[in-house]
Amino acid sequence: MLISESALRIFTQNIFLAMGCSDEHAALSADVLIKADLRGIDSHGVARLVGYVRLWEKKRINTKPNITIVHQTPTTATVDGDAGLGLVVAPFAMRLAIEKAEKYGSGWVSVRNSNHFGIAGYHSLMAVEKDMIGFAMTNASPLVAPTFSNERLLGTNPMCYAFPAGKYPPVVVDMATSAAANGKLEIAQRSGKQVLEGWIQDADGKITTDPHALKSGGSLLPLGSDREHGSHKGFGLSATVDILSAVLSGANYGPWVPPFVSFLEPPSDPVGLGIGHFVGAMRVDGFRPVDEFKANMDNWISRFKSASTVDPNQKVIIPGEPELEAEADRTKNGIPIVDAVWDDLLGLAEKFDCRLSPY
């Protein structure tokens, strides 16, 4: 099923309005989700919409949050999201980081009491628009076992770094710190496909390709999959995200992070408030003239793009290139929606009496 960007955006915005969001928050939330779908990150686009609705119905999302700054210095701050949509709270935090960077060269904001914030790249790119380097990360539902363990203690905990360039698009390093994002398992489940070896293990710690393994006590693996292939490095990256996003802000961390799925209740012994994020912005001209930096970035990109390859038909892919190509294609030709997600959207259309059309 293909649906136009405009039709999907209007529908998504209407769902958030029906949940009680303000016009501004509904438009922003829809924009974050649609950006994920446009960039080909289907696991974090409208496929998540039904999940937000279910959390709202369980009163775990506040669609009218009073987002506040609870602590700050000239260059840092901690924000309380009041259980709001992370799609709204994280952009608030990034705008604050950018404001501080404009005055002092850099800005760093930790966030507590939030929810799932969509793709990290959306927030990092806000800084790039201001000729800044953007950072964004978040902790997430505990689905990942640390190296040598079969206990789920960490989330997929994505991190993103975005760098402005000149004639080339920004370099955007947006990745989970697990071997695969949970959204990829959800897509495999909906498509009836197996997943790659090294993504997940079963409850006994044995590698499996069953995308449903998490439902029977299995766990995702850290980036690297096993110790011999560097899973301790993935574990370390994930731990860094968890500490900066939650231990620093006062959010829940590790196994205490509330699950995104509504059928699982949050831990009864929380150690903080909600989910945590960490965002930052650094002015390029705090280090050197912007035009010089961009010229060197263009040179960096050109050199890597011209690198010799094992397969002459394959070129080196600059971080962010696949997403940019997907965005160009989907903006023109429409956004593909798998049948299971389309059925979810039709269900929301009926629930909230919102029109949904592929045109």
Side-chain angles (χ1 to χ4, degrees):
M1 173 69 68
L2 282 175
I3 184 169
S4 70
E5 175 197 348
S6 59
L8 192 58
R9 182 181 297 275
I10 291 170
F11 172 77
T12 304
Q13 187 168 335
N14 284 337
I15 295 299
F16 283 119
L17 288 171
M19 290 167 60
C21 292
S22 66
D23 289 346
E24 178 187 359
H25 286 183
L28 176 57
S29 297
D31 193 50
V32 179
L33 293 189
I34 298 302
K35 179 62 76 171
D37 281 313
L38 284 173
R39 291 176 67 83
I41 312 173
D42 300 330
S43 59
H44 286 59
V46 296
R48 293 271 179 173
L49 187 56
V50 68
Y52 293 116
V53 171
R54 289 170 179 162
L55 288 178
W56 168 70
E57 290 175 331
K58 295 277 285 189
K59 302 188 184 304
R60 286 173 52 190
I61 285 179
N62 176 12
T63 54
K64 299 184 183 297
N66 178 28
I67 305 170
T68 55
I69 301 170
V70 295
H71 179 82
Q72 68 175 322
T73 71
T75 59
T76 65
T78 298
V79 165
D80 188 297
D82 194 25
L85 287 158
L87 310 171
V88 171
V89 178
F92 176 96
M94 181 54 88
R95 286 193 295 269
L96 179 60
I98 290 170
E99 289 173 7
K100 290 179 175 295
E102 287 174 337
K103 292 182 180 179
Y104 302 107
S106 67
W108 306 94
V109 180
S110 64
V111 179
R112 71 187 191 197
N113 205 8
S114 185
N115 281 283
H116 190 277
F117 78 174
I119 56 170
Y122 184 94
H123 315 298
S124 294
L125 284 168
M126 290 173 62
V128 169
E129 293 174 1
K130 302 289 187 179
D131 281 338
M132 298 181 187
I133 297 169
F135 303 81
M137 55 186 68
T138 183
N139 67 357
S141 309
L143 298 173
V144 181
T147 302
F148 301 135
S149 176
N150 64 348
E151 187 176 0
R152 302 194 299 207
L153 295 177
L154 290 164
T156 54
N157 293 5
M159 56 171 59
C160 179
Y161 302 81
F163 305 89
K167 67 178 182 179
Y168 287 107
V171 172
V172 183
V173 183
D174 188 355
M175 64 181 193
T177 54
S178 55
N182 182 47
K184 291 188 176 180
L185 266 66
E186 294 171 347
I187 290 174
Q189 292 165 10
R190 287 165 167 161
S191 304
K193 298 179 180 179
Q194 296 291 293
V195 298
L196 297 176
E197 285 192 9
W199 284 14
I200 49 178
Q201 62 184 10
D202 63 20
D204 297 322
K206 297 178 181 178
I207 299 297
T208 178
T209 59
D210 179 7
H212 299 279
L214 294 184
K215 297 177 182 178
S216 53
S219 53
L220 288 166
L221 293 168
L223 187 64
S225 299
D226 56 39
R227 179 64 171 80
E228 288 71 23
H229 292 90
S231 68
H232 60 292
K233 299 176 183 178
F235 173 30
L237 289 171
S238 186
T240 300
V241 173
D242 203 34
I243 293 167
L244 288 175
S245 297
V247 179
L248 188 62
S249 69
N252 289 291
Y253 46 81
W256 292 279
V257 177
F260 180 77
V261 292
S262 61
F263 58 82
L264 293 177
E265 293 298 322
S268 59
D269 56 342
V271 293
L273 296 171
I275 284 175
H277 318 312
F278 185 76
V279 299
M282 295 194 309
R283 277 173 49 179
V284 168
D285 65 1
F287 300 88
R288 65 185 305 198
V290 173
D291 57 348
E292 292 182 6
F293 173 81
K294 287 185 173 181
N296 280 174
M297 279 298 300
D298 286 344
N299 187 48
W300 186 94
I301 294 168
S302 294
R303 182 62 187 89
F304 277 81
K305 286 175 70 70
S306 65
S308 61
T309 55
V310 176
D311 180 352
N313 296 315
Q314 177 66 61
K315 300 296 184 182
V316 170
I317 299 172
I318 304 300
E321 272 192 332
E323 292 83 358
L324 192 69
E325 292 172 0
E327 186 167 2
D329 174 70
R330 294 182 175 197
T331 299
K332 178 182 178 181
N333 300 313
I335 297 171
I337 304 292
V338 300
D339 290 344
V341 173
W342 183 252
D343 289 342
D344 284 344
L345 298 181
L346 288 176
L348 293 178
E350 182 177 358
K351 178 191 289 285
F352 293 108
D353 192 24
C354 292
R355 181 174 178 270
L356 177 62
S357 169
Y359 304 107

